[in-house]
């Protein structure tokens, strides 16, 4: 019995030893192969938005292979999603050192720098991305957006042109080129681009709202109102949209409709001084002077430097025979730089205090 027992134990030991050898061999991959496996696992976790787990896999991949540019790039991208922008920039730096022609690394670093408020550095990165890959539409688009924000509208338009040359179906590039055209007073071209953006992406509602504003500036009140109506059937919680439609209705002499729209804007945002003042202007046209005075007063309480509100309240006070109050308001509007207020004050014999 003793002999059998010993043989049994030995057999067990032999079996255990064999299993351990297999296990060790299965996990002892060459560093490059192990890094690739961990990298692929990280990508899978990133795609499922398990960002912290993805970071851990990319860390391990880079420990196995420190010159793995793709792992640096993807760890940077993951850190960007986690809003760890400074660390993302460091990883993009490493990826660029290893692969200096990687346009997506320059682009990604530009986005991270832009998120950190480093706009000049971001613009340089977008430029480098376009230098390394001329048909990379996103880099042209993002550089154009930065230039638009700086007021460089012609340069921005040129960048959006290049983005659309690289990708003719880039709806956002059409939208932002339209906005640049609008700033350059090229209203017809702007309207065409907003329309193209909406054709490509019908749910791009800002394009509808901006096309309405452009049509209004071009004098097409009918077209503007149609766009505002269309927009407000799809999105009913935008105070600015109601206020803008109210302004278009005011210009079309629909003062009651304008007052209704300004009222809706106020109901959505009671701190919207512009809407209070505009409703005051509509009430002046409707000869409801007490309401006009009250609304202009509310606008002033929200913005004590609102010259037009003082002007409108002055008109309302004049009509309710508060001459002293009217003169006081017109003088204040003039003090704030509104030249027309000086004329009203002089014509009404206000004189000086």
């Amino acid at each position: 019995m003793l002999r059998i027992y010993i043989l049994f134990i030995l057999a067990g030991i032999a079996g255990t030893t064999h299993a351990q050898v297999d296990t060790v061999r299965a996990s002892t991959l060459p560093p490059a192969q192990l890094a690739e496996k961990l990298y692929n696992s990280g990508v899978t976790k990133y795609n499922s938005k398990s960002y912290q787990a993805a970071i851990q896999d990319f860390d391990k991949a880079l420990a196995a292979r420190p010159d793995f540019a793709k792992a640096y790039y993807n760890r940077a991208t993951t850190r960007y999603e986690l809003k760890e922008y400074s660390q993302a920039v460091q990883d993009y730096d490493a990826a660029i050192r290893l692969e200096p022609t990687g346009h997506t690394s320059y682009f990604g670093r530009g986005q991270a720098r832009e998120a950190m408020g480093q706009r000049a550095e971001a613009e340089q990165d977008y430029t480098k991305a376009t230098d390394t890959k001329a048909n990379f539409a996103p880099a042209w688009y993002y550089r154009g957006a930065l230039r638009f924000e700086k007021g460089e509208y012609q340069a921005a338009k040129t960048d959006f042109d290049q983005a659309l040359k690289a990708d003719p179906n880039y709806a956002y590039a059409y939208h932002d080129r339209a906005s640049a055209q609008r700033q350059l007073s090229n209203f017809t071209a702007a309207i065409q681009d907003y329309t193209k953006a909406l054709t490509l992406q019908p749910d791009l509602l800002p394009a509808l709202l901006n096309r309405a504003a452009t049509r209004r500036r071009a004098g097409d009140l009918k077209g503007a109102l149609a766009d505002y109506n269309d927009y407000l059937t799809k999105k009913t919680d935008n105070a600015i949209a109601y206020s803008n439609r109210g302004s278009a209705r005011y210009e079309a002499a629909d003062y009651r409709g304008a007052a209704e729209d300004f009222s809706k804007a106020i109901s959505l945002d009671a701190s919207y001084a512009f809407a209070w003042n505009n409703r005051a202007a509509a009430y002046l046209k409707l000869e409801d002077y007490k309401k006009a005075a009250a609304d202009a007063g509310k606008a002033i309480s929200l913005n004590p430097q609102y010259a037009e509100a003082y002007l409108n309240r002055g008109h309302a006070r004049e009509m309710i025979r508060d001459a002293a109050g009217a003169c006081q308001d017109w003088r204040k509007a003039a003090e704030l730089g509104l030249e027309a207020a000086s004329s009203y004050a002089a014509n009404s014999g206000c004189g000086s205090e």
Side-chain angles (χ1 to χ4, degrees):
M1 291 296 293
L2 180 60
R3 185 182 182 87
I4 295 171
Y5 177 76
I6 291 172
L7 289 173
F8 175 77
I9 294 297
L10 289 173
I13 292 172
T16 301
T17 302
H18 182 70
Q20 287 176 340
V21 170
D22 284 350
T23 301
V24 171
R25 287 174 180 168
S27 62
T28 308
L29 298 172
Q33 189 176 346
L34 176 61
E36 193 73 33
K37 179 180 179 181
L38 290 163
Y39 166 80
N40 290 334
S41 176
V43 170
T44 299
K45 289 171 182 176
Y46 173 89
N47 289 334
S48 66
K49 299 186 178 180
S50 299
Y51 298 130
Q52 292 292 356
I55 290 285
Q56 292 173 5
D57 280 345
F58 294 135
D59 288 345
K60 294 173 184 176
L62 288 164
R65 181 184 162 192
D67 64 345
F68 199 175
K70 288 193 302 181
Y72 278 112
Y73 170 81
N74 280 278
R75 189 171 70 177
T77 302
T78 309
R79 284 176 163 167
Y80 179 88
E81 293 296 332
L82 292 168
K83 296 183 170 54
E84 297 174 354
Y85 301 124
S86 179
Q87 297 96 315
V89 168
Q90 291 173 7
D91 276 348
Y92 284 126
D93 288 343
I96 289 167
R97 282 195 299 271
L98 291 165
E99 290 186 359
T101 59
H103 64 282
T104 54
S105 293
Y106 288 109
F107 177 71
R109 189 173 68 179
Q111 287 191 300
R113 284 175 162 174
E114 187 174 350
M116 295 168 66
Q118 299 174 358
R119 296 180 180 276
E121 294 83 352
E123 185 173 341
Q124 291 171 3
D125 276 339
Y126 296 143
T127 299
K128 189 65 176 179
T130 62
D131 289 343
T132 54
K133 188 173 176 62
N135 65 344
F136 187 50
W140 291 108
Y141 172 77
Y142 275 85
R143 192 178 74 173
L146 282 177
R147 290 176 167 178
F148 183 93
E149 290 174 4
K150 291 193 296 180
E152 299 175 0
Y153 302 121
Q154 187 58 55
K157 177 191 171 298
T158 299
D159 278 350
F160 297 137
D161 288 343
Q162 290 298 320
L164 289 166
K165 180 180 178 181
D167 181 0
N169 295 315
Y170 202 157
Y172 283 94
Y174 278 109
H175 176 274
D176 285 17
R177 187 174 72 176
S179 295
Q181 296 276 27
R182 178 180 164 191
Q183 292 294 335
L184 294 167
S185 298
N186 299 329
F187 300 130
T188 299
I191 290 166
Q192 290 173 348
D193 274 349
Y194 285 132
T195 301
K196 181 65 174 179
L198 286 163
T199 300
L200 290 168
Q201 192 169 328
D203 62 346
L204 189 58
L205 295 185
L208 191 57
L209 195 59
N210 286 329
R211 188 176 67 180
T214 307
R215 283 175 164 169
R216 182 180 157 208
R217 287 188 63 185
D220 180 10
L221 289 178
K222 183 178 179 181
L225 285 168
D227 278 347
Y228 284 130
N229 292 341
D230 191 8
Y231 178 91
L232 288 167
T233 61
K234 297 170 181 174
K235 187 170 177 60
T236 60
D237 61 349
N238 189 332
I240 294 175
Y242 280 106
S243 181
N244 286 348
R245 187 176 70 176
S247 295
R249 284 177 162 176
Y250 183 94
E251 291 171 13
D254 178 10
Y255 304 120
R256 196 164 301 281
E260 290 173 358
D261 274 345
F262 296 135
S263 295
K264 184 63 177 177
I266 290 166
S267 72
L268 291 168
D269 182 1
S271 66
Y272 194 0
F274 190 81
W276 285 102
N277 180 62
N278 280 358
R279 192 171 70 172
Y283 282 145
L284 282 171
K285 291 292 187 180
L286 293 168
E287 300 181 1
D288 195 335
Y289 303 119
K290 288 184 178 179
K291 286 185 177 180
D295 276 359
K298 179 65 176 179
I300 290 166
S301 72
L302 291 166
N303 179 7
Q305 305 302 308
Y306 199 164
E308 288 81 2
Y310 285 105
L311 180 69
N312 283 334
R313 190 171 69 176
H315 292 327
R317 283 177 165 177
E318 180 187 37
M319 298 308 296
I320 58 177
R321 293 179 172 76
D322 178 6
C327 287
Q328 183 181 19
D329 279 341
W330 287 331
R331 281 194 291 266
K332 182 64 176 179
E335 178 187 318
L336 291 169
L338 200 58
E339 293 182 8
S342 298
S343 299
Y344 286 115
N347 292 337
S348 297
C350 292
S352 59
E353 288 184 323

